[in-house]
Amino acid sequence: MVGVEYLAMTDEEQAFEHGGKCRWQAHRGRYRECVVGSFAECVLHFDMDAFFVEVERRRDPSLRGVPVIVGGIGPRGVVASASYEARRRGVRSAMPTAHARRQAPSARFIPPDHSAYRDASREVFEVIETFTPLVEQLSVDEAFLDISGLRLHYDSVEDVGSSLRSAIKEATGLPASVGIATSKLIAKLASEEAKPDGMFIVRAGTETAFLHPKDVGELWHVGQATRARLEELGIVTIGDLASFPLDTLRRRLGPTMGAMLSDLAAAHDPRPVVSGGGAKSISVEQTYETDIDDPAVLERELLKHADLLSRRLRSAGMAGTTVTLKVRLADFDTLTRSETGSATSSAHDLFEAGKRLLERSGVGDRPIRLLGVGMTGLEPIDAPKQLDIGGPGWSEVDDAVAKVRDRFGDGSVGPARLVDPPKCQDS
Amino acid sequence: MRIRAERDDLADVLSRAARAVGARSALPILSGLLIEVVGKTLRVTGTDLEVTIRTELEVEVLEEGRTVIPARLATEAVRKLPSGAVVLQAGEGEVEITGGGPRFRFRELSVADYPKVAEPDLEGAVTVDGAAFAAALGQVSVAASTDDARPILTGVFFESEAGALRLVATDSYRLAVRNVPSVTAELAGLVPVRALKELGRTIGADELKVAMGTREATFASARGTLTTRLIEGTFPNYRQLIPDSYPNRLTVSRDSLLESIDRASLVAEDHIPVRMHLQDGGMELSVTRQDVGGETEHVEGVYVGDEMTIAFNSRYLGDGVTVLDGDEVVLEVVDPLKPGVLRGSGEDFLYLLMPVRL
């Protein structure tokens, strides 16, 4: 297998055009000229504090100062957001609400009102856009900003950070935490450090000192499974990982993952802030070392892609309306087919659509070298959704699977067909 | 083959049969109309192999015979002739249409190539009141899907309920159920809505015969016959979807609700839901569209139940209210995530629609 790609196409030009009302716009000419003299720490990550809770508090001040938990009230509800008072009592996001009730019996429980949170999110991002159009939105309440261009208006990154925080507070009444650093990796960890309602700056040159004492689980791409494997190698902190021999790491985790983690542990994260209103498409594709000529194997690969794509859509908080299948035959002939339906992020829907598209592509049993599945027409997963008479069906299954995976790792549960057959002793 | 007929009569039988001819046929021969002249009768057949329409006209027969004429050209040519007698004749690879001076000549299509279309099978047919049947079909057809990706949903399901005919259609977002108590017959089959929509325009009449075979349905009137292939597959089990009881019930004037939906639709377009805040004295209907604006209004009525906000697709809602009969509309709901049901004055029609989750 050669690399699974994550493609997130964006439209930077649009973001530039979109910057109509921002401070930056007035200085557009100067911004373009100004390449030298930007801040050393030019990535800002902001993250709203207990966002849903604070939105609720804004409209009901009696919620201030007491433990508040926003979450599903039903028997299977989970905590969506907990105030810091509740967190001090051990309540965490994604914890079953029933469990949270035991931890914090005095807390006020409120069912989520996503349309209110979306509106509040829009208010926040309207403020953000007055600072810079270079915003990479990660979810309703967090984003990366490239602040290098703000050198002209602010003397220091502290100024940028505190102006941003007070502008958000002033316009929306909501608290935000800000982390500023030389890369996305460090900026995100810095904003964690800043919480609640604070700011934390990691100066250029001090990244590893900041990073190394932290648990490896804090690194991007380190889920429960990877963390467990690292622990077997005696790696607990990011510092342990940084000093671990790269060769061994590559052998144990695979060349791609090993090299990537090693880079991250060395605070090396060159990913730029990519603006433009989020991903326009999310897709998964894979080129196979040997061509696939068995329809059963192909279907299994399709299921694997559908499962992975569904996971990525969910983690991006998106659902899409158009499923596209891409097949490259052994002779490099490439076929794409697509189908549009109601918005989904369900692995089952993606797989069924993929099978129909595969049928339509007329590939038959010709050997193929590449298979890809992508989703466009993306919209937030919590956008208004026309319900189907047939009921929620597979999306409920997917929700349950996602919850189990969040807790026990990606390998904990999945389609039976993707489980490797048990190894026989004599094989 | 050679006949003489009044221009208007001839244009009528040709154009009605031509409605079965697809705009782009896979087979060139299907762009033609089969003309058969026997005894005193001119018989016209158009088909796309799914739907076949036959019309007949008594004409002055000058010479019996058969031909296949290009459907659109010949129909339009007859229409464009001066009013009065028209002569249609074919032979030696040419179709000639003349009347009052002008003379059209078209290339004849091959009779031998014309597909064998089975004769309409009216065995076991029941006779229904044409107008009432058309009205019932009109009420359910709005709920059928036009998306060929799910063929089962592009049909109207005919079945028997308590010995009488019941018509059902759904596109998975809404469901329309219409009982036709005046038709006491066992008819069962899934009929393409596309064919049913042609029914009124092609062979609509006061009296209609309906026959349902295992593979085809046939409709016949004094004006001709329409035969359609049935859709294969199992229609969804819709009965379980209809809630047993509704704790909340809104009664409003049909006209004022239609006007409100129409106003809201100006802003809503297709994908923006219309919100209904149900409360004592009626409801607040509102729509908000980001970057555009919105509309709000109060619709007076009687509401019995818990105060709540439920949202629907404006088109699905408007379709349902439009096809209801009576001056008042009743909307029954359970909660904002369960289907709502619209009823008019009659007991025989129900329109269920799924809300939009906000």
Side-chain angles (χ1 to χ4, degrees):
Chain A
M1 291 181 208
V2 185
V4 176
E5 285 179 72
Y6 176 92
L7 304 171
M9 290 189 288
T10 55
D11 188 352
E12 235 168 309
E13 283 307 310
Q14 198 187 336
F16 272 84
E17 293 308 321
H18 190 63
K21 54 203 164 201
C22 58
R23 288 168 203 184
W24 164 87
Q25 180 82 8
H27 307 279
R28 187 170 184 160
R30 290 167 68 194
Y31 174 84
R32 287 250 157 111
E33 288 159 24
C34 171
V35 187
V36 285
S38 79
F39 298 123
E41 302 84 18
C42 62
V43 179
L44 182 151
H45 178 256
F46 84 87
D47 193 354
M48 304 301 291
D49 299 319
F51 184 54
F52 298 172
V53 169
E54 292 299 335
V55 174
E56 296 295 347
R57 280 177 171 170
R58 189 171 66 166
R59 57 180 171 188
D60 180 3
S62 78
L63 296 172
R64 293 189 199 283
V66 298
V68 177
I69 292 167
V70 174
I73 301 285
R76 292 174 172 205
V78 293
V79 174
S81 174
S83 74
Y84 283 87
E85 295 84 353
R87 292 185 202 192
R88 275 198 290 276
R89 291 168 169 76
V91 177
R92 296 281 172 268
S93 288
M95 172 185 277
T97 311
H99 187 177
R101 269 186 213 279
R102 287 195 293 276
Q103 294 280 335
S106 63
R108 297 270 297 272
F109 286 79
I110 295 167
D113 174 358
H114 288 287
S115 71
Y117 310 148
R118 270 198 305 276
D119 290 347
S121 169
R122 210 146 40 227
E123 293 171 40
V124 170
F125 278 89
E126 274 168 15
V127 176
I128 301 293
E129 280 179 11
T130 66
F131 281 79
T132 171
L134 300 176
V135 179
E136 179 176 342
Q137 187 170 353
L138 299 177
S139 71
V140 284
D141 67 342
E142 63 174 315
F144 285 118
L145 277 61
D146 180 338
I147 55 169
S148 48
L150 296 175
R151 181 78 174 116
L152 287 166
H153 314 295
Y154 298 92
D155 293 334
S156 63
V157 291
E158 286 94 328
D159 278 0
V160 177
S162 51
S163 304
L164 183 80
R165 274 168 31 78
S166 56
I168 294 175
K169 185 74 127 286
E170 201 177 299
T172 69
L174 299 169
S177 292
V178 161
I180 302 174
T182 51
S183 67
K184 283 185 179 179
L185 167 73
I186 308 290
K188 188 161 161 79
L189 292 171
S191 72
E192 266 321 298
E193 206 74 30
K195 280 179 173 296
D197 200 11
M199 173 164 71
F200 194 89
I201 298 167
V202 178
R203 294 289 169 195
T206 66
E207 294 92 345
T208 50
F210 167 75
L211 193 60
H212 283 176
K214 294 190 177 297
D215 189 289
V216 276
E218 307 250 337
L219 280 184
W220 284 21
H221 306 291
V222 179
Q224 310 236 2
T226 309
R227 200 187 168 286
R229 278 154 88 186
L230 290 170
E231 209 168 332
E232 283 170 19
L233 299 173
I235 298 172
V236 178
T237 66
I238 298 173
D240 295 341
L241 181 63
S243 57
F244 200 82
L246 181 58
D247 285 350
T248 320
L249 203 60
R250 285 182 158 177
R251 264 204 314 280
R252 289 302 191 88
L253 299 175
T256 318
M257 186 74 166
M260 190 180 64
L261 288 187
S262 170
D263 273 355
L264 290 179
H268 181 64
D269 175 22
R271 291 168 304 169
V273 173
V274 182
S275 62
K280 293 272 191 317
S281 84
I282 295 182
S283 54
V284 174
E285 64 178 55
Q286 186 166 352
T287 304
Y288 299 96
E289 276 182 359
T290 50
D291 295 342
I292 297 178
D293 53 6
D294 177 350
V297 174
L298 188 61
E299 198 168 291
R300 187 170 181 270
E301 288 303 313
L302 185 64
L303 178 60
K304 200 151 92 187
H305 282 15
D307 191 53
L308 184 57
L309 182 57
S310 162
R311 231 184 296 162
R312 285 188 177 157
L313 284 164
R314 278 169 179 276
S315 64
M318 300 300 241
T321 51
T322 302
V323 183
T324 303
L325 178 85
K326 177 172 162 191
V327 177
R328 183 166 295 148
L329 299 167
D331 59 6
F332 277 85
D333 208 6
T334 305
L335 310 165
T336 58
R337 296 286 181 276
S338 63
E339 178 184 305
T340 300
S342 54
T344 182
S345 61
S346 142
H348 176 263
D349 292 351
L350 288 167
F351 180 52
E352 291 299 322
K355 280 199 290 190
R356 284 192 293 272
L357 294 170
L358 202 55
E359 174 78 37
R360 262 179 51 199
S361 74
V363 170
D365 51 5
R366 281 184 283 171
I368 69 145
R369 55 178 288 120
L370 176 148
L371 179 71
V373 184
M375 189 65 123
T376 51
L378 299 183
E379 56 184 50
I381 220 163
D382 56 0
K385 181 176 166 44
Q386 170 67 53
L387 301 175
D388 197 285
I389 277 180
W394 282 95
S395 75
E396 272 193 343
V397 174
D398 281 8
D399 282 342
V401 167
K403 274 178 202 154
V404 173
R405 282 174 174 169
D406 283 347
R407 227 158 136 181
F408 302 107
D410 287 342
S412 56
V413 63
R417 255 200 272 186
L418 298 185
V419 177
D420 286 323
K423 288 194 179 70
C424 297
Q425 279 190 328
D426 55 353
S427 69
Chain B
M1 192 243 37
R2 190 153 182 255
I3 57 113
R4 188 185 291 131
E6 275 301 304
R7 178 199 68 175
D8 293 344
D9 296 340
L10 187 60
D12 174 59
V13 288
L14 292 179
S15 63
R16 286 191 288 116
R19 294 201 67 93
V21 174
R24 281 184 307 272
S25 317
L27 296 168
I29 189 69
L30 295 180
S31 68
L33 291 172
L34 175 67
I35 306 287
E36 296 166 293
V37 178
V38 182
K40 288 181 172 176
T41 309
L42 165 82
R43 195 181 193 213
V44 187
T45 305
T47 187
D48 63 357
L49 300 179
E50 295 284 324
V51 177
T52 302
I53 297 172
R54 290 185 176 85
T55 54
E56 284 182 1
L57 182 67
E58 279 214 2
V59 293
E60 184 186 341
V61 176
L62 306 169
E63 188 193 340
E64 290 190 341
R66 305 170 79 207
T67 180
V68 179
I69 64 174
R72 308 240 174 266
L73 275 175
T75 307
E76 281 307 303
V78 171
R79 268 207 195 112
K80 287 182 192 297
L81 288 178
S83 103
V86 172
V87 173
L88 168 67
Q89 62 179 323
E92 320 236 314
E94 203 169 79
V95 179
E96 193 180 279
I97 300 170
T98 53
R103 172 166 166 260
F104 283 102
R105 287 176 302 110
F106 298 118
R107 175 82 62 85
E108 185 186 25
L109 300 168
S110 158
V111 176
D113 287 351
Y114 202 80
K116 299 267 175 292
V117 200
E119 284 299 306
D121 179 7
L122 284 167
E123 200 189 314
V126 289
T127 303
V128 300
D129 179 290
F133 187 66
L137 279 178
Q139 283 182 304
V140 290
S141 296
V142 288
S145 172
T146 49
D147 179 4
D148 290 327
R150 298 171 78 183
I152 293 209
L153 303 183
T154 62
V156 171
F157 186 52
F158 284 56
E159 66 168 346
S160 157
E161 172 72 12
L165 176 64
R166 171 180 273 191
L167 304 172
V168 191
T170 179
D171 63 1
S172 93
Y173 305 121
R174 59 254 174 89
L175 168 84
V177 181
R178 174 68 151 89
N179 290 324
V180 193
S182 59
V183 181
T184 49
E186 299 277 334
L187 295 172
L190 188 52
V191 185
V193 72
R194 192 180 79 79
L196 294 171
K197 282 185 175 153
E198 292 298 335
L199 206 53
R201 284 193 282 241
T202 54
I203 62 160
D206 290 345
E207 211 179 77
L208 203 62
K209 284 194 168 66
V210 183
M212 201 74 73
T214 50
R215 317 234 352 221
E216 289 183 329
T218 301
F219 303 87
S221 78
R223 301 177 69 209
T225 61
L226 182 150
T227 302
T228 172
R229 256 202 224 168
L230 296 178
I231 299 169
E232 286 175 32
T234 311
F235 194 73
N237 178 10
Y238 66 91
R239 286 166 203 264
Q240 66 193 28
L241 304 171
I242 303 169
D244 300 330
S245 66
Y246 303 88
N248 310 293
R249 173 181 243 260
L250 172 77
T251 310
V252 289
S253 142
R254 177 174 175 271
D255 287 349
S256 59
L257 180 56
L258 270 181
E259 283 164 21
S260 304
I261 295 168
D262 185 48
R263 279 188 288 269
S265 303
L266 180 67
V267 184
E269 286 201 335
D270 208 29
H271 55 290
I272 309 281
V274 172
R275 288 166 194 243
M276 292 178 162
H277 183 70
L278 306 174
Q279 58 190 18
D280 276 352
M283 67 162 159
E284 293 293 329
L285 192 129
S286 68
V287 56
T288 310
R289 187 158 157 218
Q290 207 189 333
D291 306 329
V292 175
E295 195 256 351
T296 345
E297 61 182 272
H298 177 76
V299 184
E300 213 172 275
V302 177
Y303 181 64
V304 183
D306 301 332
E307 193 167 321
M308 74 169 86
T309 301
I310 187 166
F312 295 106
N313 175 300
S314 59
R315 186 164 61 86
Y316 299 162
L317 182 66
D319 282 351
V321 179
T322 305
V323 297
L324 288 175
D325 36 37
D327 297 336
E328 285 197 328
V329 174
V330 176
L331 170 68
E332 293 173 311
V333 295
V334 180
D335 69 43
L337 298 180
K338 298 238 169 62
V341 166
L342 287 169
R343 291 178 212 268
S345 57
E347 283 293 298
D348 293 328
F349 182 64
L350 169 156
Y351 183 92
L352 176 148
L353 75 167
M354 289 303 293
V356 173
R357 189 190 64 206
L358 292 174

Tab-separated table of all heavy atoms in Angstrom, chain A residues 118 122 342 381 383-389, chain B residues 172-174 241 290 313 337 354-357:
chain	number	residue	atom	x	y	z
A	118	ARG	N	-24.696	27.913	16.592
A	118	ARG	CA	-24.251	28.306	15.246
A	118	ARG	C	-24.305	29.823	15.088
A	118	ARG	O	-23.403	30.426	14.529
A	118	ARG	CB	-25.139	27.651	14.179
A	118	ARG	CG	-24.646	26.306	13.724
A	118	ARG	CD	-25.285	25.928	12.389
A	118	ARG	NE	-26.733	25.965	12.448
A	118	ARG	CZ	-27.494	24.973	12.895
A	118	ARG	NH1	-26.936	23.865	13.330
A	118	ARG	NH2	-28.805	25.080	12.916
A	122	ARG	N	-21.187	32.322	14.415
A	122	ARG	CA	-21.117	33.290	13.317
A	122	ARG	C	-20.684	34.654	13.849
A	122	ARG	O	-19.848	35.325	13.256
A	122	ARG	CB	-22.495	33.372	12.642
A	122	ARG	CG	-22.417	33.718	11.199
A	122	ARG	CD	-23.494	33.068	10.358
A	122	ARG	NE	-24.793	33.049	10.994
A	122	ARG	CZ	-25.573	31.977	11.047
A	122	ARG	NH1	-25.167	30.847	10.528
A	122	ARG	NH2	-26.757	32.036	11.620
A	342	SER	N	-29.275	13.176	-0.299
A	342	SER	CA	-29.363	14.060	0.865
A	342	SER	C	-28.085	13.905	1.684
A	342	SER	O	-27.404	12.888	1.630
A	342	SER	CB	-30.612	13.769	1.685
A	342	SER	OG	-30.660	12.421	2.035
A	381	ILE	N	-22.423	19.157	9.940
A	381	ILE	CA	-23.217	17.978	10.255
A	381	ILE	C	-24.481	18.368	11.017
A	381	ILE	O	-25.498	17.694	10.961
A	381	ILE	CB	-22.335	16.994	11.064
A	381	ILE	CG1	-22.596	15.565	10.634
A	381	ILE	CG2	-22.499	17.178	12.555
A	381	ILE	CD1	-21.510	14.607	11.063
A	383	ALA	N	-26.207	21.143	10.446
A	383	ALA	CA	-27.051	22.048	9.674
A	383	ALA	C	-28.464	21.458	9.645
A	383	ALA	O	-28.640	20.261	9.827
A	383	ALA	CB	-26.510	22.175	8.250
A	384	PRO	N	-29.473	22.307	9.404
A	384	PRO	CA	-30.830	21.769	9.340
A	384	PRO	C	-30.886	20.585	8.380
A	384	PRO	O	-30.329	20.650	7.289
A	384	PRO	CB	-31.654	22.948	8.811
A	384	PRO	CG	-30.915	24.151	9.228
A	384	PRO	CD	-29.460	23.769	9.197
A	385	LYS	N	-31.543	19.526	8.808
A	385	LYS	CA	-31.525	18.320	7.991
A	385	LYS	C	-32.943	17.826	7.761
A	385	LYS	O	-33.711	17.636	8.702
A	385	LYS	CB	-30.726	17.239	8.718
A	385	LYS	CG	-30.622	15.950	7.936
A	385	LYS	CD	-29.732	14.972	8.667
A	385	LYS	CE	-29.834	13.551	8.150
A	385	LYS	NZ	-29.831	13.405	6.710
A	386	GLN	N	-33.279	17.647	6.499
A	386	GLN	CA	-34.568	17.064	6.167
A	386	GLN	C	-34.552	15.610	6.605
A	386	GLN	O	-33.728	14.823	6.162
A	386	GLN	CB	-34.814	17.160	4.660
A	386	GLN	CG	-36.017	16.376	4.161
A	386	GLN	CD	-37.338	16.934	4.661
A	386	GLN	OE1	-37.631	18.102	4.517
A	386	GLN	NE2	-38.147	16.078	5.285
A	387	LEU	N	-35.455	15.255	7.504
A	387	LEU	CA	-35.483	13.884	7.993
A	387	LEU	C	-36.159	12.981	6.973
A	387	LEU	O	-36.965	13.414	6.182
A	387	LEU	CB	-36.218	13.828	9.333
A	387	LEU	CG	-35.601	14.699	10.428
A	387	LEU	CD1	-36.460	14.681	11.667
A	387	LEU	CD2	-34.190	14.226	10.757
A	388	ASP	N	-35.796	11.713	7.053
A	388	ASP	CA	-36.273	10.720	6.116
A	388	ASP	C	-37.350	9.872	6.789
A	388	ASP	O	-37.236	9.550	7.965
A	388	ASP	CB	-35.065	9.844	5.733
A	388	ASP	CG	-35.314	9.050	4.490
A	388	ASP	OD1	-36.052	8.051	4.562
A	388	ASP	OD2	-34.757	9.434	3.455
A	389	ILE	N	-38.364	9.527	6.026
A	389	ILE	CA	-39.455	8.725	6.575
A	389	ILE	C	-38.942	7.404	7.130
A	389	ILE	O	-39.417	6.907	8.146
A	389	ILE	CB	-40.529	8.480	5.487
A	389	ILE	CG1	-41.458	9.683	5.422
A	389	ILE	CG2	-41.313	7.215	5.778
A	389	ILE	CD1	-42.545	9.567	4.396
B	172	SER	N	-39.913	9.364	0.288
B	172	SER	CA	-39.164	9.137	1.526
B	172	SER	C	-39.101	10.388	2.405
B	172	SER	O	-38.627	10.313	3.528
B	172	SER	CB	-37.770	8.544	1.309
B	172	SER	OG	-36.797	9.549	1.212
B	173	TYR	N	-39.576	11.526	1.928
B	173	TYR	CA	-39.666	12.706	2.781
B	173	TYR	C	-41.119	12.999	3.141
B	173	TYR	O	-41.402	13.632	4.134
B	173	TYR	CB	-39.044	13.923	2.112
B	173	TYR	CG	-37.620	13.683	1.694
B	173	TYR	CD1	-37.225	13.795	0.373
B	173	TYR	CD2	-36.672	13.306	2.642
B	173	TYR	CE1	-35.920	13.549	-0.008
B	173	TYR	CE2	-35.370	13.053	2.277
B	173	TYR	CZ	-34.996	13.178	0.952
B	173	TYR	OH	-33.708	12.929	0.581
B	174	ARG	N	-42.018	12.608	2.256
B	174	ARG	CA	-43.440	12.740	2.558
B	174	ARG	C	-44.150	11.535	1.975
B	174	ARG	O	-43.609	10.810	1.142
B	174	ARG	CB	-44.039	14.042	2.004
B	174	ARG	CG	-43.889	14.171	0.478
B	174	ARG	CD	-42.841	15.167	0.141
B	174	ARG	NE	-42.484	15.299	-1.260
B	174	ARG	CZ	-43.078	16.126	-2.115
B	174	ARG	NH1	-44.152	16.776	-1.776
B	174	ARG	NH2	-42.616	16.259	-3.321
B	241	LEU	N	-45.498	3.707	9.526
B	241	LEU	CA	-44.953	5.055	9.664
B	241	LEU	C	-45.985	6.039	10.169
B	241	LEU	O	-45.661	7.113	10.648
B	241	LEU	CB	-44.448	5.547	8.307
B	241	LEU	CG	-43.421	4.649	7.637
B	241	LEU	CD1	-43.172	5.124	6.224
B	241	LEU	CD2	-42.138	4.663	8.438
B	290	GLN	N	-29.728	32.951	5.738
B	290	GLN	CA	-28.481	33.661	5.981
B	290	GLN	C	-28.107	34.463	4.737
B	290	GLN	O	-28.262	33.992	3.625
B	290	GLN	CB	-27.390	32.629	6.272
B	290	GLN	CG	-26.283	33.169	7.130
B	290	GLN	CD	-25.145	32.173	7.192
B	290	GLN	OE1	-25.346	30.985	7.040
B	290	GLN	NE2	-23.962	32.674	7.410
B	313	ASN	N	-39.753	21.554	5.123
B	313	ASN	CA	-39.368	22.045	3.808
B	313	ASN	C	-40.567	22.766	3.212
B	313	ASN	O	-41.675	22.233	3.187
B	313	ASN	CB	-38.966	20.843	2.942
B	313	ASN	CG	-38.668	21.219	1.506
B	313	ASN	OD1	-39.530	21.753	0.806
B	313	ASN	ND2	-37.474	20.941	1.061
B	337	LEU	N	-39.351	16.121	15.859
B	337	LEU	CA	-38.558	15.180	15.068
B	337	LEU	C	-39.406	14.053	14.485
B	337	LEU	O	-38.903	13.186	13.786
B	337	LEU	CB	-37.434	14.578	15.920
B	337	LEU	CG	-36.418	15.591	16.459
B	337	LEU	CD1	-35.358	14.894	17.286
B	337	LEU	CD2	-35.767	16.359	15.318
B	354	MET	N	-42.137	14.576	6.816
B	354	MET	CA	-41.092	14.564	7.821
B	354	MET	C	-40.610	15.991	8.048
B	354	MET	O	-40.462	16.759	7.105
B	354	MET	CB	-39.906	13.715	7.360
B	354	MET	CG	-40.178	12.224	7.327
B	354	MET	SD	-40.709	11.563	8.921
B	354	MET	CE	-39.226	11.755	9.907
B	355	PRO	N	-40.340	16.344	9.299
B	355	PRO	CA	-39.834	17.683	9.564
B	355	PRO	C	-38.357	17.831	9.180
B	355	PRO	O	-37.694	16.846	8.855
B	355	PRO	CB	-40.015	17.844	11.074
B	355	PRO	CG	-40.144	16.483	11.629
B	355	PRO	CD	-40.523	15.551	10.516
B	356	VAL	N	-37.892	19.054	9.247
B	356	VAL	CA	-36.469	19.333	9.099
B	356	VAL	C	-35.935	19.529	10.512
B	356	VAL	O	-36.500	20.285	11.295
B	356	VAL	CB	-36.253	20.613	8.273
B	356	VAL	CG1	-34.779	21.005	8.258
B	356	VAL	CG2	-36.771	20.419	6.866
B	357	ARG	N	-34.865	18.790	10.821
B	357	ARG	CA	-34.278	18.945	12.150
B	357	ARG	C	-33.448	20.226	12.174
B	357	ARG	O	-32.582	20.418	11.322
B	357	ARG	CB	-33.380	17.735	12.451
B	357	ARG	CG	-32.888	17.697	13.889
B	357	ARG	CD	-31.827	16.645	14.067
B	357	ARG	NE	-30.656	17.004	13.261
B	357	ARG	CZ	-29.783	16.128	12.803
B	357	ARG	NH1	-29.938	14.864	13.027
B	357	ARG	NH2	-28.752	16.526	12.084
